[in-house]
Amino acid sequence: MTKTIDYFFSIGSPWAFIGLEPFAALAKEQGATIHPHVIPLIEENGGIYSRNRPEARRAYWIRDLKRWAELRGKVLNFDNRAALSDPSPAGLMVAAAIEAGQDWLKLALALQEAFWVRGEDIGNADVRRAIATAAGFDAAALDERGQSDAVAARQKASFEAARTAGVFGVPTYRYQNELYWGQDSLPFLERHLSGEKLAA
């Protein structure tokens, strides 16, 4: 029986970034297929953007991110974040790669590394196209495809699937209808994939 993991994520999530490679390695090790969904936080289900959190929680969020990033071998760049554009268009580029059957994981990692490690403005079309081109993609075609009806339909379906399942934050992994929120839940996902699901 094929193992399939629904992966709900966004390009702008630092947690999705630092957990992407460990998750991909886990899926490969377990012989699982990843079914990716690029989504925003789902506020109606309880998702809260960091900008809307109290300052004390935001400060802790940054400290915790730095700890986890170090554990995952990453160094995140928190300088001048406010000057960067909304990274959502980069998410549409990745959604276009998914819809086209291309290596979305490679593209997502390239864009997230640019955004979170180097502080590059991937919301800017020229910047993200240069990143995608360097990673071996037809960047202009993917950007154009990201505005297509097919990608819009995929995005709507992904959002509805996430909302209905009870997803609120990213990354969230769903296996056999069980949700695991956050890259720190990967050990629980691993146990489930190995047939050792913990009691709910």
Side-chain angles (χ1 to χ4, degrees):
M1 181 178 175
T2 302
K3 299 175 182 178
T4 301
I5 306 166
D6 284 300
Y7 174 48
F8 301 97
F9 72 108
S10 74
I11 297 301
S13 166
W15 298 109
F17 166 52
I18 64 176
L20 182 58
E21 289 171 296
F23 169 54
L26 173 61
K28 183 177 180 180
E29 176 186 306
Q30 292 286 335
T33 298
I34 300 173
H35 187 192
H37 306 269
V38 181
I39 64 165
L41 293 184
I42 303 181
E43 294 180 281
E44 66 184 274
N45 281 354
I48 304 173
Y49 285 96
S50 62
R51 62 178 177 271
N52 297 328
R53 295 171 183 163
E55 186 53 39
R57 186 173 174 185
R58 279 178 49 81
Y60 180 84
W61 177 79
I62 291 174
R63 288 197 301 272
D64 205 33
L65 261 176
K66 289 179 177 178
R67 286 193 287 254
W68 270 105
E70 183 177 357
L71 193 66
R72 297 295 193 196
K74 306 288 186 183
V75 178
L76 304 183
N77 183 344
F78 289 96
D79 296 333
N80 302 315
R81 304 305 306 179
L84 302 181
S85 306
D86 179 2
S88 296
L92 289 177
M93 178 181 269
V94 174
I98 295 168
E99 197 269 335
Q102 297 181 25
D103 190 350
W104 64 271
L105 199 153
K106 179 181 179 182
L107 180 59
L109 184 59
L111 289 166
Q112 287 179 317
E113 282 185 339
F115 189 62
W116 283 108
V117 176
R118 301 191 298 275
E120 296 181 11
D121 190 1
I122 61 173
N124 179 292
D126 291 336
V127 172
R128 69 174 172 273
R129 287 185 180 191
I131 295 163
T133 298
F137 295 88
D138 184 338
L142 281 180
D143 242 357
E144 183 177 346
R145 192 182 195 114
Q147 302 303 315
S148 69
D149 290 343
V151 169
R154 173 179 285 274
Q155 290 300 93
K156 181 178 180 181
S158 287
F159 182 85
E160 286 304 315
R163 185 185 64 80
T164 301
V167 173
F168 50 90
V170 292
T172 293
Y173 318 94
R174 180 174 65 176
Y175 178 59
Q176 296 181 334
N177 291 321
E178 189 74 29
L179 298 180
Y180 298 95
W181 170 48
Q183 61 85 38
D184 54 334
S185 290
L186 285 173
F188 301 130
L189 175 61
E190 180 177 14
R191 291 188 66 171
H192 191 169
L193 289 165
S194 299
E196 301 176 26
K197 179 184 173 184
L198 297 174

